[in-house]
Amino acid sequence: MSTLMEDDIKRWTAKRKTALVLEIIQGKTTVAEASRAFDLQPSELEQWVEEGKRGMENALRTNPLDVRQQYEKKLSDLQEAYGEAMLELRARKKLA
C-alpha cells in the first residue's frame, strides 16, 4: 500500500479515498486487500471506485457537468425508473 496511507485512519478524507481508489485502479492493490487492511466493507470500496470513475469521466468531457447538473441528471434518471416501475406494477395489478 501507498505511503500516503497511515495504518490507523480514523477519518476517510477525499484525499485519502482518492489515493486508495487510484491504487485499486492502477492494480497496486485489490478491493479485497484494501478492505482487510483498512477494515472497510468491500461494497463501500467498490462504490468509491465507481464514483471515482464517474468523476473522471465527467472531468474529461469537453463540457463537464457541474455538480448540480450531475445531481439533476441522476435525479431525473431515478424519477424515470420509478415511473416505469409504477406503471409496471399497475399493469400487473390489472392483470391479476
Side-chain angles (χ1 to χ4, degrees), residues 72-88:
E72 286 175 353
K73 182 178 179 343
K74 190 169 191 172
L75 178 61
S76 175
D77 292 345
L78 290 171
Q79 287 173 331
E80 183 179 327
Y82 176 79
E84 290 171 2
M86 289 303 297
L87 287 173
E88 185 175 333

Side-chain angles (χ1 to χ4, degrees), residues 6-45:
E6 303 102 38
D7 289 336
D8 189 25
I9 295 175
K10 300 205 183 334
R11 186 169 162 266
W12 281 92
T13 62
K15 188 174 184 176
R16 288 184 182 135
K17 288 179 185 180
T18 301
L20 184 55
V21 166
L22 283 174
E23 287 188 5
I24 292 169
I25 289 173
Q26 293 170 345
K28 294 179 181 177
T29 189
T30 65
V31 169
E33 290 170 347
S35 173
R36 284 190 299 272
F38 298 108
D39 194 30
L40 296 166
Q41 293 293 320
S43 60
E44 183 175 20
L45 287 173

Side-chain angles (χ1 to χ4, degrees), residues 21 25 43-57:
V21 166
I25 289 173
S43 60
E44 183 175 20
L45 287 173
E46 289 166 354
Q47 182 181 359
W48 291 356
V49 171
E50 288 305 311
E51 289 172 358
K53 288 178 182 177
R54 278 195 304 272
M56 249 190 312
E57 179 183 334

